[in-house]
Amino acid sequence: KQEVTQIPAALSVPEGENLVLNCSFTDSAIYNLQWFRQDPGKGLTSLLLIQSSQREQTSGRLNASLDKSSGRSTLYIAASQPGDSATYLCAASFSGGYNKLIFGAGTRLAVHP
Amino acid sequence: SAVISQKPSRDICQRGTSLTIQCQVDSQVTMMFWYRQQPGQSLTLIATANQGSEATYESGFVIDKFPISRPNLTFSTLTVSNLSPEDSSIYLCSVVTTGNSNQPQHFGDGTRLSIL
């Protein structure tokens, strides 16, 4: 069964700290992996997409990596800010279901001043 | 990226009734999807909305309960039928804008549904 797991479930950090969110998946036949942000009462905002042939993607203060052999992805947030407070979701699609995203349960991040 | 509008943004419905949710995109897209997010949980794919033909449902979801239409490349509806308290969820549509399957999915703001 294809599953996506995220740890930790919640994280609270002081402003300015660098942090890492973890995502693991059970099937090495991953097609791509996408990181999203969800603010309370809102939909999902796409942050980064990593194709299976890539090792990492960067956007501003965000860097996402993908290691297919270990079944892991990480989202690195540099110099965190209170505005980064949200739930971060990773979602993977696998060969045979290219557009079917399987979501992790999310990491709820709070960045306090 | 495409602008995705969902209506209504929220609703409170009586048991046994139905609610139809609309998803409108400001440009033609290749693929449209419907997801459910139950309280405190992550997203689960309900179905892929196929333009001009029947939707493709995931395991555990059936057309009688979740009829879907997609008459063109910019619009889709999801109906949640015979509502019960277990249907209280957020329903989200998402799109892929090009035929390249290695493109990100983009989501609307969702419809928050509560059942009395």
Side-chain angles (χ1 to χ4, degrees), chain B residues 32-92:
Chain B
M32 297 181 79
F33 307 91
W34 287 99
Y35 287 81
R36 180 177 73 182
Q37 186 175 28
Q38 293 178 299
Q41 303 202 16
S42 196
L43 282 77
T44 301
L45 179 63
I46 297 172
T48 302
N50 299 310
Q51 192 254 329
S53 64
E54 191 172 290
T56 304
Y57 290 85
E58 297 299 311
S59 175
F61 297 96
V62 295
I63 187 172
D64 289 347
K65 177 67 175 178
F66 299 99
I68 289 170
S69 78
R70 189 182 172 191
N72 55 51
L73 294 176
T74 65
F75 185 78
S76 177
T77 66
L78 166 72
T79 299
V80 188
S81 304
N82 190 23
L83 291 166
S84 68
E86 293 73 34
D87 296 319
S88 295
S89 296
I90 303 172
Y91 294 87
L92 301 103

Side-chain angles (χ1 to χ4, degrees), chain A residues 31-32 34 36 38 40-44 46 49-52 89 98-101 103-106, chain B residues 31 33 35 37 41-45 58 90 92 96 101-110 112:
Chain A
Y31 192 69
N32 61 42
Q34 198 167 350
F36 295 91
Q38 186 173 31
K42 295 288 189 179
L44 276 65
S46 177
L49 178 142
I50 311 176
Q51 300 176 20
S52 61
L89 297 163
Y98 300 128
N99 286 297
K100 176 182 177 180
L101 289 180
F103 280 82
Chain B
M31 304 195 73
F33 307 91
Y35 287 81
Q37 186 175 28
Q41 303 202 16
S42 196
L43 282 77
T44 301
L45 179 63
E58 297 299 311
I90 303 172
L92 301 103
V96 173
S101 55
N102 248 324
Q103 292 297 309
Q105 285 191 28
H106 297 282
F107 284 77
D109 278 348
R112 282 144 191 82

Side-chain angles (χ1 to χ4, degrees), chain A residues 63-81:
Chain A
N63 176 277
S65 67
L66 177 66
D67 185 339
K68 288 194 298 181
S69 61
S70 66
R72 294 177 186 272
S73 175
T74 61
L75 179 67
Y76 174 82
I77 302 177
S80 58
Q81 304 170 358

Side-chain angles (χ1 to χ4, degrees), chain A residues 13-92:
Chain A
V13 301
E15 182 176 6
E17 194 162 297
N18 301 324
L19 56 99
V20 174
L21 307 181
N22 296 294
C23 173
S24 61
F25 45 92
T26 55
D27 189 345
S28 61
I30 188 169
Y31 192 69
N32 61 42
L33 188 140
Q34 198 167 350
W35 282 92
F36 295 91
R37 167 185 175 140
Q38 186 173 31
D39 292 282
K42 295 288 189 179
L44 276 65
T45 300
S46 177
L47 298 173
L48 290 163
L49 178 142
I50 311 176
Q51 300 176 20
S52 61
S53 59
Q54 299 173 325
R55 295 282 294 183
E56 64 180 83
Q57 283 285 324
T58 299
S59 176
R61 293 183 294 109
L62 305 179
N63 176 277
S65 67
L66 177 66
D67 185 339
K68 288 194 298 181
S69 61
S70 66
R72 294 177 186 272
S73 175
T74 61
L75 179 67
Y76 174 82
I77 302 177
S80 58
Q81 304 170 358
D84 294 330
S85 298
T87 296
Y88 290 81
L89 297 163
C90 74

Side-chain angles (χ1 to χ4, degrees), chain A residues 3-16:
Chain A
E3 293 182 343
V4 176
T5 305
Q6 289 186 249
I7 54 171
L11 186 61
S12 180
V13 301
E15 182 176 6

